[in-house]
Amino acid sequence: MTAIAERIGARHGTSRTRSITYGILFLVTGLAIILLFARPTAPAQISTFDLTVRADPRLMLVPQIVLPTRLTLYVFAALSALAGVWQLVAGFRRANWALGGVALIFIVAFLTWATRDGSLNVVSLLRTAFLRSVPLALAALSGVLCERSAVINISIEGMMLMGAFVGAIMGSLALNVLGWSFAVSQGFGLLSALGSGALLGLLLAVLSVRFKVDQIIAGTAINILATGVTSFFSARILSQYRFLNNPGIIPPFAIPVLSAIPIIGPVFFDHNLLVYVMMVLLIGIHVMLWYTVWGLRTRSVGEHPRAADTLGIDVFRNRYINVTAGGMVAALGGAFLVLASVGRFDRLMTAGKGFIGLAAMIFGNWTPFGAFGAATIFGFADALQTRLAILRVPIPSQFLLMTPYIVTIIVLAGVVGEANPPAADGQPYEKE
Amino acid sequence: MRIAFEKRESVSHTVRVLVPLVSLVFALAFGALLLLFSGANPGVAYAAMARGAFGSSRALAETFVKAIPLMLTGLAVAVAFRMLFWNIGAEGQLAMGGLAATGVALFVSEGLPSWSVLPVAILVGTLAGAVWAAIPAALRAYLGVNEVITTLMMNYVAILLVSHMYHGPWRDPAGYGFPGTARFPETAWLPRLYGRAHFGLLFAVVAAAVLWFVLQRTKLGFELRIVGENPEAARYIGIDIPRLMLVAMLVSGGLAGLAGVCEVTGVMRRLQQGLTVGHGYTAIIVAWLAQLNPWAVLLVGFLLAGLLVGGDQIQMAMGLPAAVGLVLQGALLFPMLGGALFTEYRLRIVRTTPEDVGTPEELGLDEARS
């Protein structure tokens, strides 16, 4: 009881300093927009934003947005300065939302500045951002499933890698050796990937739940094992038999009515099946966590396993189920990279995406939609990084790639936002 | 009748030694299956690996080259794990150490007397690693932020920063656009012992000796052990845990930073791709297998390096993937994890008779009473 009181007390204590910090931060953002972007811009420069992807007659109705660069930047600067003043004088009721808004203003201001005398296709940028966020979101959802039942899963990366590998080789086997039809082969590859994820998830669960091996060490071991096994077989098999690493790419499928909506349609509803699967999973996990018996049990196991046990909930069983399911979701993220994005396995293809997913889960405060939102922000940073060279912006791509990690550390430190992990996160449960 | 796990009262020496050996056999068997599956004779492959890693003085030198960073990062991780601080950031601390040493070697060395270049590079690199580790340590000690995530995230920040430096501002202007810095001046080369094996080996041995002494014989080591074994008791007897955490992490990050210094000044002699190849993660396994004992870290680091070098060798000699070494490393761990269970527990067949229903404690009655 005292622990909870302390936590609430601490939150009240920090909230005042935090609201002042936010106010100053907003003012500084406004100043930064003026100094970094508006001042070096000539009065006559113009920024053009395109809002259509293809020359589709239905979509041609959306006009271009043409803005005078310098004036627009001053408007943005004024907006965030105003937000800062309001925050300091009266205070926003939802300061974190205001923070998000100011961050958005800053990004839009940056894009406006970067496209001076040029044009930027916003829809295409957002579309890339969303596509790049899908594997991150799946990794984050895997993290949510595991950590809600108090098992820290740092082997999401390894599970993704294994899912990608198994998806590639089994899909190719079915398509190119067994001669199955394309759709069946893809399904087979996908199911095999899910199976491999389930196995690794089960392994993590057995080690950390049953044998109480430290979750960090068990997770590291799984990562190393997955890296080793996949690079062994990709060197031994895939590089010699190329047809075993060619499962093909799931074709896109535009959702009838929704994909015709201007801007939103091409960004969200004109993708391949796995993207929609991610959306369904997102909603499904949200509903299940908050509106079903399983969700209630999971959350109680994550917050207070002893109390859950007393009420007759099988703590071990719940963790087994969640971590196994988490492994499957992570493997789906890996399979997405192969079957829906690149079309072949590469041993370096996850490149830390599992860890970014973990960061997204934290940034999203251990909730499915929060995690998804964070994943889209991180996906946006990734997509933007690829455009910087085209826009001739002198920011090294590495600095944009760092943002997910730095933002996560800042959030965890409690400078902005609030991190509320499940209370029993990471602790093995010892049955009395 | 049922089979039960019982906690062992005391762990005998035989069990302690036997379990890792049995685990090794299991791991080799798993690797053998993999080799058989890919059409190679496991016996021949293992023999080639052993020869490639330990068979000649040249092979031994290469194994030491790989072992040095594993030993230093293994020690780094072991210090932190001693007090239950999960430092997964040795990789990033190593990167920062290498980066700082590179800065000294490339830009400061000309203004320094030649004898002092290397000591300064070592000092600055070690400090850089320590500072990088101090950030998550301070966050944990004073704000209660989970260090697993922060150390992990800081690895990527460090790796990206290093990559930016040798792709961008520090790239060798005479390097035909190849990503990497210019070669260090000779004053910044870490001397080599034989083959490519360099002085870093001595650093690792000295560090292990000092750590062993500190952990076993000093008040600081005693406090670290208490915090690791029983944080409640540590608080009760008045140990300043946040301060201790900072000290342990400064040492830990410093050792990892030193590993980075050795890599750039002793092996690569420039900063380029290949500084961060996962030593910091393997270190976790090294430390764990060595049960956090400094001397054992040296031995385990050497053996795991042998797996990696042996893997490289059979790739060259037999065309088998070098990843065999990695697979064995990963596989080695699982029987060991199971093995650890058997060193602490034992299987016993329990006869359930009426008078053997259990003591009040076993039935959880004392929980109800309190």
Side-chain angles (χ1 to χ4, degrees):
Chain A
M1 223 38 216
T2 50
I4 296 170
E6 270 169 26
R7 267 170 69 184
I8 294 170
R11 220 171 276 165
H12 274 296
T14 53
S15 71
R16 190 164 299 130
T17 47
R18 184 186 292 165
S19 75
I20 294 171
T21 316
Y22 277 22
I24 294 170
L25 193 68
F26 297 170
L27 287 175
V28 170
T29 307
L31 196 66
I33 293 174
I34 292 175
L35 291 180
L36 292 175
F37 307 141
R39 291 291 295 276
T41 311
Q45 286 180 314
I46 278 175
S47 305
T48 310
F49 294 106
D50 287 320
L51 297 176
T52 48
V53 182
R54 286 164 294 169
D56 183 334
R58 282 176 307 164
L59 299 170
M60 291 306 276
L61 298 169
V62 186
Q64 281 184 331
I65 297 178
V66 182
L67 297 169
T69 308
R70 195 162 168 184
L71 184 68
T72 313
L73 287 172
Y74 277 119
V75 171
F76 284 139
L79 278 177
S80 57
L82 211 62
V85 172
W86 179 259
Q87 171 72 11
L88 288 175
V89 175
F92 284 100
R93 274 193 60 209
R94 293 188 165 222
N96 282 334
W97 287 90
L99 181 72
V102 170
L104 189 69
I105 289 176
F106 184 79
I107 291 169
V108 175
F110 167 74
L111 288 176
T112 311
W113 168 75
T115 45
R116 65 199 185 283
D117 285 345
S119 75
L120 174 76
N121 193 323
V122 180
V123 172
S124 143
L125 177 66
L126 291 177
R127 196 183 140 79
T128 314
F130 178 62
L131 263 181
R132 293 202 173 209
S133 73
V134 172
L136 305 180
L138 287 168
L141 286 176
S142 164
V144 169
L145 280 173
C146 297
E147 296 211 7
R148 275 288 165 185
S149 67
V151 176
I152 294 180
N153 183 1
I154 65 164
S155 53
I156 295 173
E157 178 82 8
M159 292 166 175
M160 286 180 85
L161 200 58
M162 191 59 93
F165 173 77
V166 172
I169 197 166
M170 295 311 256
S172 308
L173 193 72
L175 184 69
N176 302 331
V177 179
L178 302 177
W180 294 357
S181 75
F182 185 74
V184 176
S185 303
Q186 293 274 331
F188 181 68
L190 200 61
L191 284 179
S192 313
L194 290 180
S196 73
L199 279 179
L200 286 185
L202 196 63
L203 182 62
L204 177 66
V206 169
L207 287 170
S208 60
V209 177
R210 177 68 189 83
F211 292 139
K212 299 176 182 59
V213 170
D214 188 89
Q215 295 167 4
I216 306 309
I217 291 173
T220 308
I222 291 176
N223 278 338
I224 290 183
L225 191 71
T227 314
V229 169
T230 54
S231 52
F232 179 86
F233 282 116
S234 83
R236 188 69 193 163
I237 300 177
L238 299 187
S239 62
Q240 288 172 27
Y241 308 100
R242 294 288 166 83
F243 60 91
L244 283 177
N245 193 7
N246 189 16
I249 296 180
I250 301 174
F253 166 75
I255 295 184
V257 179
L258 292 174
S259 65
I261 304 171
I263 305 172
I264 296 173
V267 172
F268 293 107
F269 300 111
D270 188 7
H271 295 291
N272 64 66
L273 195 64
L274 285 188
V275 176
Y276 307 132
V277 168
M278 186 277 289
M279 294 179 177
V280 171
L281 261 179
L282 169 66
I283 296 168
I285 292 175
H286 173 82
V287 170
M288 285 174 72
L289 260 183
W290 270 275
Y291 303 100
T292 65
V293 175
W294 167 81
L296 186 64
R297 285 182 180 163
T298 299
R299 284 181 290 132
S300 62
V301 164
E303 295 294 337
H304 202 313
R306 174 89 53 231
D309 195 7
T310 313
L311 293 174
I313 297 170
D314 190 335
V315 176
F316 288 180
R317 201 177 107 93
N318 182 278
R319 288 186 180 172
Y320 271 114
I321 292 174
N322 279 19
V323 176
T324 308
M328 291 167 77
V329 175
L332 180 65
F336 175 88
L337 292 174
V338 169
L339 299 177
S341 179
V342 182
R344 57 187 301 277
F345 176 79
D346 176 273
R347 67 192 180 82
L348 298 173
M349 82 186 317
T350 50
K353 289 195 171 60
F355 295 124
I356 299 186
L358 208 59
M361 174 204 70
I362 295 164
F363 193 51
N365 219 347
W366 285 266
T367 64
F369 275 98
F372 169 72
T376 50
I377 294 172
F378 296 165
F380 182 78
D382 192 11
L384 195 57
Q385 168 258 129
T386 60
R387 306 283 158 117
L388 286 182
I390 306 167
L391 291 170
R392 281 169 308 175
V393 175
I395 298 177
S397 62
Q398 286 96 345
F399 287 118
L400 271 178
L401 290 175
M402 275 180 207
T403 39
Y405 307 111
I406 294 176
V407 162
T408 304
I409 293 172
I410 292 174
V411 168
L412 272 177
V415 181
V416 294
E418 250 164 40
N420 296 313
D425 210 5
Q427 297 161 12
Y429 179 60
E430 196 89 48
K431 216 169 157 62
E432 296 273 304
Chain B
M1 216 163 75
R2 67 199 174 89
I3 296 171
F5 280 109
E6 262 187 9
K7 202 143 191 160
R8 283 180 196 271
E9 311 264 303
S10 62
V11 182
S12 76
H13 249 292
T14 342
V15 174
R16 250 183 209 286
V17 178
L18 207 63
V19 166
L21 284 180
V22 173
S23 304
L24 185 66
V25 173
F26 267 108
L28 289 176
F30 179 81
L33 275 180
L34 218 61
L35 287 166
L36 269 180
F37 183 82
S38 60
N41 180 338
V44 176
Y46 280 149
M49 275 180 83
R51 240 180 297 120
F54 311 115
S56 65
S57 68
R58 216 186 121 263
L60 270 176
E62 280 308 303
T63 302
F64 276 119
V65 169
K66 276 256 170 32
I68 292 161
L70 287 183
M71 289 170 173
L72 284 169
T73 51
L75 290 172
V77 170
V79 173
F81 281 18
R82 273 274 168 158
M83 65 173 306
L84 300 184
F85 189 100
W86 301 108
N87 179 14
I88 317 196
E91 187 83 356
Q93 292 142 22
L94 179 150
M96 294 310 282
L99 184 71
T102 303
V104 172
L106 289 179
F107 305 108
V108 193
S109 57
E110 285 184 11
L112 292 171
S114 60
W115 60 267
S116 70
V117 173
L118 201 54
V120 170
I122 290 170
L123 197 70
V124 171
T126 307
L127 275 177
V131 168
W132 204 247
I135 298 170
L139 286 175
R140 159 81 193 272
Y142 300 108
L143 295 172
V145 179
N146 182 338
E147 76 280 11
V148 172
I149 309 295
T150 46
T151 49
L152 191 61
M153 301 289 128
M154 288 187 68
N155 282 346
Y156 281 92
V157 177
I159 291 167
L160 286 166
L161 188 63
V162 168
S163 150
H164 164 64
M165 294 314 276
Y166 69 72
H167 275 103
W170 289 5
R171 181 155 69 182
D172 184 5
Y176 306 103
F178 185 78
T181 66
R183 208 170 158 82
F184 295 169
E186 269 184 59
T187 49
W189 291 7
L190 194 63
R192 288 179 176 171
L193 297 170
Y194 72 99
R196 292 203 309 156
H198 52 82
F199 248 74
L201 187 60
L202 296 186
F203 295 155
V205 173
V206 170
V210 171
L211 276 185
W212 177 83
F213 180 80
V214 169
L215 288 173
Q216 296 299 322
R217 296 274 185 274
T218 66
K219 180 162 167 272
L220 183 70
F222 172 73
E223 289 182 345
L224 276 178
R225 276 223 309 278
I226 297 282
V227 173
E229 280 159 20
N230 193 343
E232 281 307 312
R235 239 186 305 274
Y236 187 72
I237 61 173
I239 292 175
D240 184 352
I241 296 182
R243 190 189 65 93
L244 204 60
M245 204 170 264
L246 270 180
V247 171
M249 274 305 278
L250 283 172
V251 173
S252 178
L255 285 169
L258 182 60
V261 177
C262 291
E263 287 296 282
V264 293
T265 60
V267 184
M268 307 195 297
R269 291 175 176 171
R270 68 173 68 206
L271 184 65
Q272 61 186 12
Q273 205 189 353
L275 175 62
T276 48
V277 288
H279 292 313
Y281 299 111
T282 310
I284 295 169
I285 294 183
V286 171
W288 196 84
L289 288 178
Q291 297 178 3
L292 312 187
N293 177 320
W295 294 117
V297 164
L298 295 188
L299 182 68
V300 174
F302 179 70
L303 291 177
L304 289 198
L307 287 181
L308 292 178
V309 174
D312 285 342
Q313 290 301 316
I314 61 167
Q315 176 164 37
M316 280 184 269
M318 305 171 67
L320 289 166
V324 150
L326 214 57
V327 171
L328 285 177
Q329 272 189 7
L332 191 59
L333 211 72
F334 289 103
M336 284 292 280
L337 293 173
L341 193 76
F342 282 98
T343 49
E344 279 164 39
Y345 296 83
R346 65 177 159 196
L347 275 180
R348 227 186 68 171
I349 296 167
V350 183
R351 224 163 265 160
T352 36
T353 51
E355 60 266 39
D356 191 29
V357 280
T359 63
E361 276 111 309
E362 282 168 358
L363 293 176
L365 290 180
D366 64 335
E367 174 85 346
R369 246 185 280 133
S370 60

